[in-house]
Amino acid sequence: MSRTTATVAASLPDHWEQLVTTALLGTDRRTPPGVAPGPQTPSDLLDAAAAATVRRRAGLCPARPAERLRPAPEDPRPPLPHAAARRLAALLADRPGASGGGRRGAAPDLMELLPQWLQAANARGYAAPPQALPALLDAARGRTDLRPAALRFAGPRALWLARLNPDWRFALRAAPGGGPSAPDLRDPQGIRRLWQEGLFAERVTLLTALRSRDAAAARALLEETWATERAEDRLMFLDSLRAGLAPDDETFLERALADRSRNVRETAAELLSALPASALAARMAARAAACVAVDRTRDVPTIVVEAPHECDAAMERDGVVAKAPAGRGERSWWLGQLVEAAPLGTWPGRFGGRTPEEIVALPVADGWQGELHAAWCRAAVRQRDAAWSRALLGEPSAPEAGGPGAVSLAERARLLAALDAGERAAWVAGFIETHGLSEAFQLLGVCAVPWASPLGRAVVDALNIARDAGSYPWSFSGVMGLAERCLDPSEASRLDALLAIPDEPEDAAPGAGSYWSEAFQRLVTTLRLRGAMLAELAPEEPAP
């Protein structure tokens, strides 16, 4: 250090901010304290800054070391077979752009296969490869539909990673017990503390998880704080009681019928109406039975309807909405709500012991059939009654394509959900054989995957008919997409004959033949890829 530097260092106070300000303004506008102005001032400033830097570094106290990162938890599940691990890496690496509704080419969409791959891997109980976890969490971050299966497959290490990366914090919210303060469900004190002190999302997750383990304990927890909860929170908490709904919930739900919030009252009434033995269901049955009867004095027994003339306070307390939507008559609106909430077991006794099929087949006087059957449809869906759903659907080959009670494709789809998987597939197959694919998209969406053989054959045959007829091919793109994900891979061999470009009829859409060929090529390639995926997930044979 020079004599000048030593002199400056000894005399100049260590005011770092002043030195920085002087350097920014320039020594011609400001002279550092303790330094005489002159041509040496810039050099003196730099010397002072150097000395101050040394002092600052020499006097820096060591920081307290950060807590050592705890190792990731072990995942006790068996590892993926090597081929399946390579397939997962390929699926996660595929990032197709938005198709925008245009032609997709003959290559399969790998990201659309990822949900099925995850479902199959979870069914076999495999653990995710550690090196795949970041890409898996990134994929789940971008697609909420992937999150339940992806987080289940990722296991406990996903939560460990999510606490280190803010981009993956969704995993802490989505996974039960994922929050840093979430207790073990076997820890009563921890559960109570989180319920009383946790954030709303943490409390909903806790209540849902506890409900699946101990329905009575979850209900008791909710009852403790019910009176002090906000209306919108009460609604969400009440909705969690759908899982495991049982007669033991009736007392609490009856009290909720007097809630200050109309939405809470309506939800409580809906839940009570799904309990056929509840007092509310009995009250609704009595009201509905007073409005609907059989007139046996006619040549053919006929259902007659006398809709309510008013909506009294007791009806409103039981969840009947008094104000009808625009375009709906008040009396028909009230009638529909009463019939929807009444137990379906009410009607056979009311109609002389007739079965649901016989009741639905009865004529209805004065134009009330549509309203009455639509209400029975909603009741069958709410009560998950297979016999009534079957009766309201009717035969799939019926000319009206909807059965005697269904009023829309969406309603048929909801009725189908009450049937077992095999019966559901058989009904939709019969519908397609009679009516084709133009109205079947929503119905196919409720069928179990992979589609049963009769349903798969019906879809392939209908696509073949549409192809040979020169139908506008883009109108079937949705069904093609479903077929790629839902057809049994064993159906691939039946499609080989459809890969060639067909002769186009004169009235066919331009380019329809090449589109159909391309679409069937993609379908076959995707089915074979799905078959390979399932084979790769089979346990590896031990080395001899």
Short mmCIF file of all heavy atoms in Angstrom, two decimals, residues 287-310:
data_model
loop_
_atom_site.label_atom_id
_atom_site.label_comp_id
_atom_site.label_asym_id
_atom_site.label_seq_id
_atom_site.Cartn_x
_atom_site.Cartn_y
_atom_site.Cartn_z
N ARG A 287 -95.25 -35.36 -0.74
CA ARG A 287 -95.64 -34.24 -1.61
C ARG A 287 -95.74 -34.70 -3.06
O ARG A 287 -96.69 -34.32 -3.77
CB ARG A 287 -94.61 -33.13 -1.49
CG ARG A 287 -94.57 -32.43 -0.13
CD ARG A 287 -93.43 -31.45 -0.06
NE ARG A 287 -93.37 -30.76 1.23
CZ ARG A 287 -92.26 -30.64 1.95
NH1 ARG A 287 -91.10 -31.14 1.49
NH2 ARG A 287 -92.28 -30.00 3.10
N ALA A 288 -94.75 -35.48 -3.52
CA ALA A 288 -94.76 -35.92 -4.92
C ALA A 288 -95.94 -36.85 -5.18
O ALA A 288 -96.61 -36.77 -6.22
CB ALA A 288 -93.44 -36.60 -5.27
N ALA A 289 -96.21 -37.76 -4.23
CA ALA A 289 -97.31 -38.70 -4.41
C ALA A 289 -98.65 -37.99 -4.47
O ALA A 289 -99.59 -38.45 -5.15
CB ALA A 289 -97.31 -39.73 -3.28
N ALA A 290 -98.78 -36.85 -3.80
CA ALA A 290 -100.02 -36.07 -3.85
C ALA A 290 -100.22 -35.42 -5.22
O ALA A 290 -101.34 -35.01 -5.55
CB ALA A 290 -100.02 -35.00 -2.76
N CYS A 291 -99.15 -35.33 -5.99
CA CYS A 291 -99.23 -34.67 -7.30
C CYS A 291 -99.36 -35.65 -8.46
O CYS A 291 -99.76 -35.25 -9.56
CB CYS A 291 -97.98 -33.81 -7.53
SG CYS A 291 -97.76 -32.47 -6.36
N VAL A 292 -98.99 -36.91 -8.26
CA VAL A 292 -98.92 -37.88 -9.36
C VAL A 292 -99.71 -39.12 -8.96
O VAL A 292 -99.48 -39.70 -7.89
CB VAL A 292 -97.46 -38.26 -9.68
CG1 VAL A 292 -97.40 -39.21 -10.87
CG2 VAL A 292 -96.62 -37.01 -9.96
N ALA A 293 -100.62 -39.53 -9.82
CA ALA A 293 -101.44 -40.70 -9.53
C ALA A 293 -101.80 -41.40 -10.84
O ALA A 293 -101.52 -40.89 -11.93
CB ALA A 293 -102.71 -40.30 -8.78
N VAL A 294 -102.45 -42.57 -10.73
CA VAL A 294 -102.92 -43.32 -11.90
C VAL A 294 -104.43 -43.23 -11.96
O VAL A 294 -105.13 -43.50 -10.97
CB VAL A 294 -102.48 -44.80 -11.83
CG1 VAL A 294 -103.11 -45.60 -12.97
CG2 VAL A 294 -100.98 -44.91 -11.89
N ASP A 295 -104.93 -42.82 -13.11
CA ASP A 295 -106.38 -42.77 -13.34
C ASP A 295 -106.80 -44.11 -13.94
O ASP A 295 -106.51 -44.42 -15.10
CB ASP A 295 -106.70 -41.62 -14.30
CG ASP A 295 -108.20 -41.46 -14.51
OD1 ASP A 295 -108.98 -42.31 -14.00
OD2 ASP A 295 -108.61 -40.50 -15.19
N ARG A 296 -107.47 -44.94 -13.14
CA ARG A 296 -107.87 -46.28 -13.59
C ARG A 296 -109.25 -46.29 -14.23
O ARG A 296 -109.74 -47.34 -14.64
CB ARG A 296 -107.83 -47.25 -12.41
CG ARG A 296 -106.43 -47.45 -11.84
CD ARG A 296 -106.44 -48.42 -10.66
NE ARG A 296 -105.10 -48.70 -10.18
CZ ARG A 296 -104.42 -47.93 -9.32
NH1 ARG A 296 -105.00 -46.83 -8.84
NH2 ARG A 296 -103.20 -48.26 -8.94
N THR A 297 -109.90 -45.13 -14.32
CA THR A 297 -111.24 -45.08 -14.91
C THR A 297 -111.18 -45.02 -16.43
O THR A 297 -112.20 -45.20 -17.09
CB THR A 297 -112.00 -43.85 -14.38
OG1 THR A 297 -111.34 -42.65 -14.81
CG2 THR A 297 -112.08 -43.90 -12.86
N ARG A 298 -110.02 -44.77 -17.00
CA ARG A 298 -109.89 -44.68 -18.45
C ARG A 298 -109.72 -46.08 -19.04
O ARG A 298 -109.46 -47.05 -18.33
CB ARG A 298 -108.70 -43.80 -18.82
CG ARG A 298 -108.75 -42.42 -18.16
CD ARG A 298 -107.72 -41.50 -18.75
NE ARG A 298 -107.70 -40.21 -18.04
CZ ARG A 298 -107.16 -39.09 -18.52
NH1 ARG A 298 -106.59 -39.10 -19.71
NH2 ARG A 298 -107.20 -37.97 -17.82
N ASP A 299 -109.86 -46.14 -20.36
CA ASP A 299 -109.71 -47.44 -21.02
C ASP A 299 -108.31 -48.01 -20.79
O ASP A 299 -108.14 -49.22 -20.63
CB ASP A 299 -109.95 -47.28 -22.53
CG ASP A 299 -111.39 -46.90 -22.83
OD1 ASP A 299 -112.26 -47.16 -21.97
OD2 ASP A 299 -111.64 -46.32 -23.90
N VAL A 300 -107.32 -47.13 -20.79
CA VAL A 300 -105.93 -47.53 -20.51
C VAL A 300 -105.49 -46.77 -19.26
O VAL A 300 -105.65 -45.54 -19.21
CB VAL A 300 -105.00 -47.19 -21.69
CG1 VAL A 300 -103.55 -47.53 -21.35
CG2 VAL A 300 -105.44 -47.94 -22.95
N PRO A 301 -104.98 -47.47 -18.25
CA PRO A 301 -104.51 -46.73 -17.07
C PRO A 301 -103.54 -45.62 -17.48
O PRO A 301 -102.61 -45.85 -18.27
CB PRO A 301 -103.82 -47.81 -16.23
CG PRO A 301 -104.47 -49.09 -16.65
CD PRO A 301 -104.78 -48.92 -18.11
N THR A 302 -103.77 -44.45 -16.96
CA THR A 302 -103.01 -43.27 -17.38
C THR A 302 -102.54 -42.49 -16.15
O THR A 302 -103.30 -42.32 -15.19
CB THR A 302 -103.88 -42.36 -18.26
OG1 THR A 302 -104.32 -43.10 -19.41
CG2 THR A 302 -103.10 -41.14 -18.73
N ILE A 303 -101.30 -42.02 -16.22
CA ILE A 303 -100.78 -41.18 -15.14
C ILE A 303 -101.35 -39.78 -15.31
O ILE A 303 -101.30 -39.20 -16.40
CB ILE A 303 -99.24 -41.14 -15.17
CG1 ILE A 303 -98.65 -42.53 -14.91
CG2 ILE A 303 -98.70 -40.14 -14.15
CD1 ILE A 303 -97.14 -42.60 -15.02
N VAL A 304 -101.88 -39.25 -14.22
CA VAL A 304 -102.39 -37.88 -14.22
C VAL A 304 -101.56 -37.06 -13.22
O VAL A 304 -101.11 -37.57 -12.20
CB VAL A 304 -103.88 -37.82 -13.86
CG1 VAL A 304 -104.71 -38.43 -14.97
CG2 VAL A 304 -104.15 -38.53 -12.54
N VAL A 305 -101.37 -35.81 -13.53
CA VAL A 305 -100.50 -34.94 -12.74
C VAL A 305 -101.28 -33.70 -12.33
O VAL A 305 -101.96 -33.08 -13.15
CB VAL A 305 -99.25 -34.53 -13.55
CG1 VAL A 305 -98.43 -33.49 -12.77
CG2 VAL A 305 -98.42 -35.75 -13.89
N GLU A 306 -101.17 -33.35 -11.08
CA GLU A 306 -101.69 -32.09 -10.56
C GLU A 306 -100.52 -31.40 -9.86
O GLU A 306 -100.18 -31.71 -8.71
CB GLU A 306 -102.84 -32.33 -9.58
CG GLU A 306 -103.45 -31.06 -9.00
CD GLU A 306 -104.14 -30.19 -10.05
OE1 GLU A 306 -104.62 -30.75 -11.07
OE2 GLU A 306 -104.21 -28.96 -9.85
N ALA A 307 -99.89 -30.49 -10.57
CA ALA A 307 -98.69 -29.85 -10.04
C ALA A 307 -99.03 -28.97 -8.86
O ALA A 307 -100.17 -28.50 -8.72
CB ALA A 307 -98.01 -29.03 -11.14
N PRO A 308 -98.07 -28.69 -7.96
CA PRO A 308 -98.33 -27.82 -6.79
C PRO A 308 -98.81 -26.44 -7.23
O PRO A 308 -98.37 -25.91 -8.26
CB PRO A 308 -96.97 -27.74 -6.10
CG PRO A 308 -96.20 -28.90 -6.60
CD PRO A 308 -96.68 -29.17 -7.99
N HIS A 309 -99.69 -25.87 -6.43
CA HIS A 309 -100.19 -24.53 -6.73
C HIS A 309 -99.40 -23.44 -5.99
O HIS A 309 -99.55 -22.26 -6.30
CB HIS A 309 -101.67 -24.43 -6.34
CG HIS A 309 -102.56 -25.23 -7.24
ND1 HIS A 309 -103.12 -24.72 -8.39
CD2 HIS A 309 -102.97 -26.53 -7.18
CE1 HIS A 309 -103.85 -25.64 -9.00
NE2 HIS A 309 -103.78 -26.76 -8.27
N GLU A 310 -98.57 -23.85 -5.04
CA GLU A 310 -97.74 -22.88 -4.33
C GLU A 310 -96.50 -23.58 -3.80
O GLU A 310 -96.46 -24.81 -3.68
CB GLU A 310 -98.52 -22.23 -3.17
CG GLU A 310 -98.90 -23.23 -2.07
CD GLU A 310 -99.48 -22.54 -0.85
OE1 GLU A 310 -99.31 -21.31 -0.74
OE2 GLU A 310 -100.08 -23.24 -0.02
#
